[in-house]
Amino acid sequence: MTSTSVKMIHSLYEAGGEGSPSNPVKFKGQDYKQLKETLLKEGRTFEDKTFPANLDSLGKLEDFSAEQLREVEWLSPHDLCSDPSFVVDGTSRFDFKQGDVGNCWFLSSIGALTLRKSLMVQVVPPDQSFKNDYAGIFHFKFWRFGKWVDVVIDDLLPTRNKVPVSVSSRSGKEFWAPLLEKAYAKVCGSYGDMIAGNPPEAFKDFSGGVHMSYTLSKSPPDLWDVMNRAIQCGTMMGCGTFGGDKGKGIFKKFGLVEGHAFAVTGAKQVKSRGEKVNLVRIWNPWGEKEWNGDWSDKSALWTTVSADNRDQCLKMRNDGDFWMKMKDFCVYYQEMDICCDSPNFVDGDAACQWKCSLKEGRWEAGKSAGGSASRADGFWTNPQYRLTVKAVEGDYQGDRNVLLSLLQKPDEEYRSKVKYHAMGFIIYKVPSGAPRGRLSSSLLQGEQPLKVSEFSESRELIEFHSLELGEYLIIPCTYDANKSASFIITIYSKAEAQME
């Protein structure tokens, strides 16, 4: 089972076209190759005027006083280390740790990304250096709303007393992670605009893949199998603890952090005292502060497993990495997110080659934003998509064979200012003999929708459905009418299907 089991049959870009992985869109029009060639020719180092080294790029940092903000100095890694490196001996989650900016959701996602080496080199181009052809310019690639973009930055990092205010190198001399964070801060608008979020957002921007979220208190009975399939597929996995007052005393007792994002980095079944025990490995982006309950680094339970398992799993160091029992994981963590190129990990259908169809659209107030009230005349002004399920593989017994994703594309440049509309989609079965093109309300008058999704004020809504052979009308809509926003609708299908 691999993460390549999804076939892109429609997309916003053709292979090699603008926005493809090999030909990303130049963010803010900056061409990395041309800029670097000019800098080397002129003997200059890069200073990014589109993301300058000032308080505007730092943004609103609530935990910093005005005096502390005034003390921030933007320094190059050459000012922080006598011999800085971009990467030393490969990339790993142990290369960095979180600083004073509350973006654990993003940094835990980087930790998960480091386990996907092929994707890592796509996001973090490895042919960058502080030694050969150094010009103070670096670049990183993100998937942003249907297209890959190449983001150029200079290497000036915000510091106080020569200590980075945000993510820092654990060794003090490896800087790929602080620079990656700066590139994403530029995309978000500022470092302050990165505060607060959920791992699926970063997972999406690292891959363009599909994600599934699980509420662990209501987890499916096969969650352990799902996690193992996900690991085999080469997915990115994250999790988060409860926020607010729930469990504060328990978290403190067991060394966890409330309202915090972590990476899920492994799963292993061991035999202890004659019984099989399912263990989950988790990483805290702080680079410290670990679980101290059963199966923690100092737990006596490790003496009950084989020497091989103990050598493979147990690392007695304060690096943020720890193991815990699956049952404890589902008690102390609120949710888990899994992101992959393909939904194969959900049901274990390794032979399935998912097809993916992706389209851009927009709701425009007064024109094409009719809201969700299907009985209202305005509802039929919403965008419409016809989906034809042409085949169903295998013995179809109502298995979920279609996954729908609706992703809002904000008009606002600064991430912290984005407000997502409550959105969802309504699905009708198209009557036989219906004309091509848009369908009118009169044609489906009296017909009950086949499916009505939940409506969510979120960046992306994902739902699985079971659809038999036939033709369907999918209407993405905002809950309230006259809400303007762009969106991307993506359909993954197990067998042949066509969207138009």
Side-chain angles (χ1 to χ4, degrees), residues 216-378:
L216 293 174
S217 61
K218 303 175 183 177
S219 57
D222 66 338
L223 184 62
W224 174 253
D225 295 328
V226 169
M227 292 178 68
N228 277 278
R229 290 194 296 264
I231 291 169
Q232 293 173 31
C233 284
T235 61
M236 293 177 286
M237 303 171 67
C239 59
T241 51
F242 295 93
D245 295 329
K246 183 170 182 178
K248 273 190 175 179
I250 296 175
F251 285 142
K252 186 175 181 180
K253 176 182 177 182
F254 287 113
L256 294 177
V257 183
E258 72 261 14
H260 190 48
F262 298 73
V264 177
T265 60
K268 188 174 182 63
Q269 188 176 82
V270 298
K271 198 168 185 179
S272 170
R273 296 168 178 160
E275 295 185 357
K276 294 178 180 178
V277 181
N278 295 332
L279 299 177
V280 181
R281 190 176 64 198
I282 301 167
W283 176 73
N284 183 348
W286 287 1
E288 57 184 12
K289 193 72 174 173
E290 301 178 9
W291 162 259
N292 57 29
D294 288 349
W295 299 100
S296 61
D297 285 3
K298 297 180 181 179
S299 172
L301 290 170
W302 287 109
T303 63
T304 67
V305 304
S306 69
D308 284 346
N309 280 334
R310 192 162 54 249
D311 291 342
Q312 290 174 14
C313 298
L314 189 57
K315 302 290 186 290
M316 295 288 289
R317 58 193 184 198
N318 186 25
D319 54 10
D321 223 35
F322 57 87
W323 292 89
M324 65 192 307
K325 189 165 57 177
M326 180 73 177
K327 288 183 179 178
D328 287 336
F329 175 60
C330 291
V331 169
Y332 296 110
Y333 283 81
Q334 183 176 15
E335 74 278 320
M336 178 178 66
D337 302 290
I338 302 176
C339 179
C340 192
D341 297 338
S342 158
N344 272 355
F345 65 87
V346 176
D347 60 9
D349 188 357
C352 175
Q353 293 286 320
W354 288 82
K355 284 78 176 177
C356 177
S357 183
L358 181 150
K359 300 287 185 182
E360 237 180 340
R362 183 168 175 83
W363 300 294
E364 196 71 58
K367 296 180 180 179
S368 57
S372 61
S374 59
R375 299 298 180 189
D377 290 340

Side-chain angles (χ1 to χ4, degrees), residues 409-422:
K409 183 179 179 180
D411 297 327
E412 175 58 56
E413 180 180 358
Y414 294 93
R415 178 179 175 271
S416 63
K417 296 180 180 179
V418 171
K419 302 295 182 185
Y420 292 114
H421 304 305

